[in-house]
Amino acid sequence: GAVVSQHPSWVICKSGTSVKIECRSLDFQATTMFWYRQFPKQSLMLMATSNEGSKATYEQGVEKDKFLINHASLTLSTLTVTSAHPEDSSFYICSASQFSNQPQHFGDGTRLSIL
Amino acid sequence: AQSVAQPEDQVNVAEGNPLTVKCTYSVSGNPYLFWYVQYPNRGLQFLLKYITGDNLVKGSYGFEAEFNKSQTSFHLKKPSALVSDSALYFCAVRRLSSGGYNKLIFGAGTRLAVHP
């Protein structure tokens, strides 16, 4: 149980394009989803927290207009990297929890490479 | 402010030997502590958690962790390491945001290398 699916697993695109990453909870309803960024050989950095039906809460230093988050249903959240540039290249990981006080379950991550 | 420290970048152990991956924490109030494992190009897998109760917590894949309040530690242990245990291990502490969300603060991670 508690499976989180993230898609795509790997994406390569040209600078200036926008990239959408999907995060789905497959066997539970996720009231809260989290988006992380991980640089090589580093820990996870929380980017934002999203609740179904409301605006995402971004961590300090994360550009809201750059990283658009939508949590339209209890099983789906999306992260759109707008006008991506090489410095946006990273490993992006989502997680989901059924309730705010429950453990987070993680997707397998999306490796984004911007040329 | 809540924080987690993993003092070792890498731990090397021979297969069959016991392993320990260290974690210390700093929190206000009672700590909610977690261990996760990450394999290459994958997300994090939950291993175990401490909320309350017994100080020795048993988790997945034969791992366990010992909560020590006086030393503010939550070290991950396994009696007999396997080569397949080689991965990146993260300790985390729960932090409640102002909005009531269950945020996780991660340590820097420790790479475990188990040699045949």
Side-chain angles (χ1 to χ4, degrees), chain A residues 10 32 34 36 38 42-44 46 49 51 54 57 59 91 93 100-104 106-109 111, chain B residues 32 34 36 38 41-46 49 88 90 94-96 100-104 106-109 111:
Chain A
W10 199 298
T32 308
F34 303 85
Y36 295 86
Q38 185 180 30
Q42 293 190 28
S43 189
L44 279 71
L46 179 64
T49 304
N51 261 19
S54 61
T57 301
E59 295 298 300
F91 194 54
I93 305 175
S100 62
N101 61 350
Q102 295 296 309
Q104 295 180 30
F106 287 80
D108 274 345
R111 186 160 300 284
Chain B
Y32 285 23
F34 303 81
Y36 286 85
Q38 184 181 32
N41 294 311
R42 302 290 297 274
L44 275 65
Q45 294 180 31
F46 170 76
K49 66 179 179 182
L88 189 57
F90 289 101
R94 190 189 84 163
R95 176 173 72 91
L96 275 179
Y101 302 130
N102 176 17
K103 292 184 177 182
L104 289 177
F106 287 92
R111 187 164 300 280

Side-chain angles (χ1 to χ4, degrees), chain A residues 6-61:
Chain A
Q6 193 171 336
H7 179 80
S9 56
W10 199 298
V11 60
I12 302 174
C13 59
K14 293 181 179 180
S15 182
T17 58
S18 294
V19 179
K20 180 184 284 188
I21 303 170
E22 292 187 348
C23 181
R24 294 180 184 272
S25 57
L26 298 186
D27 52 1
F28 67 101
Q29 293 186 326
T31 56
T32 308
M33 287 186 169
F34 303 85
W35 287 96
Y36 295 86
R37 185 173 180 175
Q38 185 180 30
F39 291 101
K41 299 185 179 181
Q42 293 190 28
S43 189
L44 279 71
M45 180 191 76
L46 179 64
M47 299 174 65
T49 304
S50 73
N51 261 19
E52 185 265 338
S54 61
K55 289 184 178 181
T57 301
Y58 290 81
E59 295 298 300
Q60 191 172 8

Side-chain angles (χ1 to χ4, degrees), chain B residues 8-113:
Chain B
E8 304 154 315
D9 290 336
Q10 179 152 334
V11 170
N12 297 297
V13 64
E15 187 175 30
N17 283 2
L19 69 87
T20 299
V21 182
K22 295 180 180 178
C23 172
T24 58
Y25 65 89
S26 174
V27 302
S28 54
N30 294 322
Y32 285 23
L33 297 161
F34 303 81
W35 275 102
Y36 286 85
V37 60
Q38 184 181 32
Y39 295 96
N41 294 311
R42 302 290 297 274
L44 275 65
Q45 294 180 31
F46 170 76
L47 283 179
L48 51 81
K49 66 179 179 182
Y50 172 82
I51 305 296
T52 186
D54 290 340
N55 290 341
L56 185 63
V57 179
K58 294 189 181 297
S60 306
Y61 313 119
F63 283 93
E64 58 189 28
E66 186 171 9
F67 171 69
N68 188 315
K69 188 173 183 178
S70 62
Q71 297 184 4
T72 62
S73 67
F74 189 56
H75 300 333
L76 181 70
K77 300 180 179 182
K78 187 172 182 180
S80 179
L82 300 172
V83 173
S84 57
D85 292 329
S86 299
L88 189 57
Y89 290 81
F90 289 101
C91 182
V93 62
R94 190 189 84 163
R95 176 173 72 91
L96 275 179
S97 69
S98 57
Y101 302 130
N102 176 17
K103 292 184 177 182
L104 289 177
I105 307 300
F106 287 92
T110 299
R111 187 164 300 280
L112 173 66

Side-chain angles (χ1 to χ4, degrees), chain A residues 79-98:
Chain A
L79 167 68
T80 301
V81 183
T82 61
S83 187
H85 292 284
E87 58 267 26
D88 299 324
S89 299
S90 192
F91 194 54
Y92 293 87
I93 305 175
C94 74
S95 71
S97 63
Q98 189 171 13

